[in-house]
Amino acid sequence: MFIKTLKISKGNECIREISFHKGLNLIVDNSPLNEDDSVIYHVGKTTVLKLISFCLCGDTSYISSNIGNNKEDSDRFRNYLINNKILITLVLTEDLDDINSKEVVIERNFQLGKNALIKINGKKILKRYFESELASIIFPKSDVANPSFIPLITHNFRYSNHNLHRALKTLNRENTEEEYDSLYLYILSITFKGIAKKQSISTQINEEYMYRLKLLKGQNVKSYEIAIADINREISNLNKEMAALSNNDVFMELNNIRYKKYRNNALIESLNIRKDIILDTQKDMDKQRASIDERHIEQLYREAKTYLPNIRKNFDDLALYHNEMMIEKTKFATQEIPSLTKRIENKEHNAIDLNKKEGELLDFINTQNMDNSVFDILEKLDVLYMFKCDYEVILNKIKQSEINIQKLEKTLNAINQELYSDEFEERLKTQINKFNEYFVQISKEIYDEQYVLNFNKEINRNTDKTVYNFNVFNLNLRANKKQGESLCFDLAYIKFTNEERFSCLHFLLNENKDLLDYIHLLKVSNFINQNNIQLVIPLLSNKIEESLLDKSNIVLELSKEDKLFKADILQ
């Protein structure tokens, strides 16, 4: 798919319509430079990239971020979009040279709630179905339910510092090294049946540690053991005092009921803590399937697929794999929810019965002619039993959690023993070597560098477990041009997909940040013209050679007098 047009509308008024073509598409800022070579007019050249991303499931809040000089400017811009009912229309096409080629028309506004509008090919779409609907149209061969569209196209949008300077580590900062392991092994066509189970077990181990942390409430096991021993001594002494004052068995029964009541309450609290942790994990996983920091899986696939023609996984396979992985992890992590819910319900019913029995006993005691000291002892015992039960439940749950962790660690170690074996490492090296034949070729042609994909077997500092750490290395031993790494990945992938006829977006949005100088940009321009690729770059006219400012390369010219929305929004 290529970008055909982007239109900005205000009601029935078309503010601006931009037509794109194959090859280099420049968005030029003609504003004069200040003495320090800076521009302060914020004409909207980067906003064009954001609006394209917005129409492809981008986050609404990101449109107004980094607009102007402060938060007030960002708020003013966001309010302009909402109050003026700005509508963005993006048209994608499979072939820019064929007027009958399949097109996808996406319309989206910035309104909130029921006024929000999303349309695909004229059909209204609810926001929660936006991503899956786009995926089914743009990647029609995928038979995956609810595919993660946003992460699958992340590498096409490189205009944030995070994306510009990271060729490989584009996943959300919350993602783990284990998740990188599984994704890279898959895209490198290395089969390992235990990888899905490894991620599920790792998730459950993390849940157990979080559960323990919340149970301990800032203390340690030894502190609770000492506290329980001290409480038991106090209870024993108070019971002796009670026996000296009265031999009524009702007090023993009351102590028993209160012990059961507080223990039951402590169990309810611990079960709710565990349930909340699992539900939080489920929310995080759902978020990963939907919008993982606006970047992810297609980046990984293209980085591998571009340079490894014998890879047996296509884009649709990766989409299927990713979602199956997330579904499997979610299913594994949440399998305890039904039993937890049932146990909590039972304990809550028990609490009602125990409170009733306690009340009946207290009513009976109040009818007896008792010394006031007896009631003082009862109050002290009540507090002691509450703490005793709370601490005992915490220790019991921690011990059970330790048993669970030991069992999970044993299974995980068996998986890791194979995954990080010398034999498996040799398989990985073989695939990496094939991958690097393509990486070196592309990076040398564009940057006269020799980038290679490398990996190390390391110990993760957080988990103390072995992981594969993938990275990019420059064989020239020069200071790496980080943007060069990313651009080489992106361009090489599209070239390969053209030859192999894989589904992909044939456009790249890239804000150069002064790292793409004239020589490199000229090489890139020649490369994309020869390989059926569309590259959109915002540039300052004062910082680019005249030869590249040929009118055929320019799709939009902006200036202080002619800003993107044709209005001084920040004034």
Side-chain angles (χ1 to χ4, degrees):
M1 283 284 182
F2 297 88
I3 303 173
K4 184 176 182 179
T5 60
L6 179 74
K7 184 169 70 172
I8 304 171
S9 304
K10 176 183 175 183
N12 294 324
E13 175 191 356
C14 176
I15 297 177
R16 194 180 295 277
E17 185 167 9
I18 310 167
S19 297
F20 296 85
H21 52 251
K22 288 183 181 178
L24 193 61
N25 292 253
L26 298 180
I27 301 169
V28 178
D29 182 353
N30 290 319
S31 301
L33 298 178
N34 296 315
E35 294 181 359
D36 60 355
D37 284 349
S38 65
V39 175
I40 62 172
Y41 300 115
H42 309 294
V43 298
K45 61 184 185 298
T46 303
T47 303
V48 174
L49 310 189
K50 292 182 179 182
L51 292 177
I52 295 171
S53 174
F54 175 67
C55 288
L56 294 169
C57 296
D59 187 1
T60 305
S61 64
Y62 193 62
I63 296 292
S64 58
S65 65
N66 299 319
I67 293 290
N69 300 309
N70 49 50
K71 183 179 183 300
E72 287 72 21
D73 284 342
S74 295
D75 292 341
R76 193 176 291 114
F77 181 62
R78 182 174 61 254
N79 292 334
Y80 168 84
L81 297 173
I82 296 173
N83 296 336
N84 288 277
K85 299 181 179 179
I86 299 297
L87 176 70
I88 309 300
T89 304
L90 176 69
V91 179
L92 304 180
T93 181
E94 285 189 344
D95 189 345
L96 285 165
D97 297 326
D98 183 359
I99 60 173
N100 297 316
S101 178
K102 174 186 173 182
E103 292 184 352
V104 180
V105 181
I106 305 157
E107 301 170 79
R108 192 175 181 191
N109 68 10
F110 299 90
Q111 303 300 304
L112 305 175
K114 64 180 182 180
N115 294 321
L117 175 69
I118 299 174
K119 283 186 178 181
I120 301 178
N121 293 334
K123 175 185 174 184
K124 286 187 177 181
I125 304 294
L126 293 176
K127 186 176 181 180
R128 64 176 175 271
Y129 300 128
F130 187 24
E131 185 183 352
S132 59
E133 189 73 16
L134 272 180
S136 66
I137 294 172
I138 295 177
F139 306 110
K141 294 182 179 179
S142 176
D143 57 356
V144 184
N146 301 317
S148 298
F149 178 76
I150 295 174
L152 293 175
I153 66 168
T154 179
H155 101 126
N156 296 85
F157 303 92
R158 291 190 183 272
Y159 49 81
S160 68
N161 289 331
H162 180 92
N163 253 6
L164 280 171
H165 303 294
R166 297 188 182 199
L168 300 180
K169 298 290 185 178
T170 57
L171 288 180
N172 190 338
R173 290 175 178 84
E174 296 177 358
N175 289 89
T176 64
E177 293 295 337
E178 287 79 6
E179 288 171 304
Y180 277 108
D181 272 3
S182 64
L183 286 170
Y184 273 98
L185 293 178
Y186 183 84
I187 60 179
L188 288 169
S189 198
I190 300 176
T191 303
F192 184 70
K193 295 180 179 180
I195 199 68
K197 189 175 182 181
K198 171 184 167 67
Q199 285 203 51
S200 299
I201 291 175
S202 297
T203 298
Q204 198 166 17
I205 289 174
N206 289 337
E207 285 180 359
E208 290 291 345
Y209 278 115
M210 289 173 62
Y211 181 50
R212 285 186 46 170
L213 190 63
K214 289 193 175 184
L215 283 174
L216 286 170
K217 301 175 183 177
Q219 302 297 326
N220 56 47
V221 171
K222 194 67 177 177
S223 297
Y224 284 110
E225 290 174 342
I226 292 172
I228 290 173
D230 186 61
I231 289 172
N232 284 335
R233 282 193 295 271
E234 289 190 54
I235 289 175
S236 177
N237 292 334
L238 289 172
N239 282 331
K240 290 177 181 179
E241 290 183 36
M242 181 69 76
L245 294 171
S246 174
N247 291 320
N248 199 327
D249 292 338
V250 72
F251 296 117
M252 296 299 296
E253 186 178 353
L254 179 62
N255 286 342
N256 185 45
I257 290 296
R258 282 179 165 173
Y259 178 78
K260 290 180 180 179
K261 181 188 77 170
Y262 288 125
R263 186 174 181 81
N264 187 75
N265 291 345
L267 285 169
I268 291 174
E269 181 184 5
S270 67
L271 291 172
N272 275 318
I273 289 174
R274 188 170 189 85
K275 183 178 178 180
D276 288 343
I277 289 173
I278 295 174
L279 291 175
D280 286 343
T281 301
Q282 182 181 16
K283 289 178 182 178
D284 290 341
M285 290 178 177
D286 290 341
K287 188 184 298 183
Q288 288 181 42
R289 292 180 65 197
S291 55
I292 311 177
D293 201 30
E294 299 184 2
R295 33 197 171 260
H296 292 11
I297 295 175
E298 190 171 7
Q299 165 70 18
L300 302 178
Y301 171 71
R302 295 181 180 189
E303 288 169 2
K305 192 62 184 174
T306 301
Y307 314 106
L308 191 54
N310 295 324
I311 192 170
R312 294 185 175 86
K313 311 295 183 188
N314 62 28
F315 180 84
D316 301 324
D317 290 334
L318 182 57
L320 177 63
Y321 165 77
H322 174 257
N323 286 280
E324 285 182 343
M325 180 74 72
M326 296 308 303
I327 290 169
E328 181 65 24
K329 286 178 65 178
T330 304
K331 181 180 177 182
F332 191 89
T334 59
Q335 63 184 352
E336 197 179 352
I337 288 293
S339 63
L340 281 174
T341 302
K342 186 65 176 177
R343 290 171 66 190
I344 291 170
E345 290 176 355
N346 291 338
K347 296 297 180 185
E348 288 174 344
H349 287 306
N350 289 342
I352 294 173
D353 293 338
L354 290 169
N355 285 332
K356 181 180 178 182
K357 290 178 180 178
E358 181 188 29
E360 291 172 350
L361 288 172
L362 287 173
D363 288 342
F364 174 77
I365 291 172
N366 287 330
T367 63
Q368 307 299 306
N369 187 20
M370 299 285 184
D371 189 272
N372 287 335
S373 58
V374 171
F375 292 101
D376 291 339
I377 292 174
L378 288 176
E379 287 182 8
K380 292 177 181 179
L381 285 170
D382 185 42
V383 173
L384 290 170
Y385 276 120
M386 180 181 66
F387 285 112
K388 171 182 168 67
C389 294
D390 188 27
Y391 298 164
E392 286 180 346
V393 167
I394 287 172
L395 288 181
N396 287 337
K397 291 296 180 182
I398 287 174
K399 289 178 182 178
Q400 183 58 52
S401 182
E402 289 174 349
I403 294 172
N404 293 340
I405 290 173
Q406 288 174 3
K407 291 179 180 178
L408 291 167
E409 290 281 8
K410 184 177 180 180
T411 305
L412 186 62
N413 288 338
I415 295 173
N416 287 341
Q417 188 173 1
E418 179 181 355
L419 179 60
Y420 301 108
S421 65
D422 292 340
E423 181 182 356
F424 194 93
E425 189 174 352
E426 286 302 315
R427 291 174 58 193
L428 182 55
K429 286 179 181 178
T430 300
Q431 296 301 90
I432 291 288
N433 289 336
K434 295 177 184 177
F435 185 101
N436 284 331
E437 291 178 15
Y438 293 88
F439 198 3
V440 170
Q441 175 188 348
I442 299 298
S443 58
K444 187 168 182 60
E445 179 178 346
I446 300 295
Y447 276 91
D448 196 27
E449 302 288 352
Q450 296 187 71
Y451 296 129
V452 295
L453 181 64
N454 189 25
F455 78 97
N456 297 304
K457 200 160 57 174
E458 300 177 353
I459 301 298
N460 185 293
R461 289 178 296 178
N462 296 325
T463 63
D464 201 33
K465 301 291 183 184
T466 303
V467 295
Y468 289 119
N469 181 23
F470 294 89
N471 57 81
V472 173
F473 178 68
N474 192 343
L475 294 179
N476 290 341
L477 299 179
R478 300 172 185 169
N480 282 359
K481 300 178 179 67
K482 292 296 182 180
Q483 189 185 25
E485 296 174 5
S486 302
L487 193 60
C488 289
F489 273 128
D490 301 343
L491 294 174
Y493 171 75
I494 293 181
K495 177 184 175 181
F496 181 78
T497 54
N498 284 341
E499 296 173 354
E500 296 296 316
R501 297 182 179 179
F502 285 111
S503 298
C504 78
L505 297 179
H506 284 70
F507 62 83
L508 301 172
L509 312 183
N510 192 302
E511 186 165 28
N512 66 312
K513 300 291 187 183
D514 298 328
L515 294 177
L516 193 65
D517 61 28
Y518 165 69
I519 298 298
H520 294 133
L521 186 54
L522 185 61
K523 289 181 179 180
V524 169
S525 179
N526 293 333
F527 181 89
I528 61 179
N529 284 329
Q530 296 169 8
N531 290 284
N532 197 32
I533 298 172
Q534 189 179 51
L535 177 62
V536 183
I537 302 180
L539 291 170
L540 294 171
S541 61
N542 295 320
K543 292 191 175 184
I544 191 66
E545 294 290 332
E546 288 293 331
S547 60
L548 284 175
L549 284 178
D550 186 281
K551 288 295 182 182
S552 63
N553 290 330
I554 298 174
V555 296
L556 178 63
E557 291 187 85
L558 300 171
S559 66
K560 177 184 177 183
E561 293 75 25
D562 186 19
K563 297 183 178 181
L564 180 63
F565 288 86
K566 298 183 178 180
D568 286 326
I569 301 172
L570 304 184
Q571 297 300 319

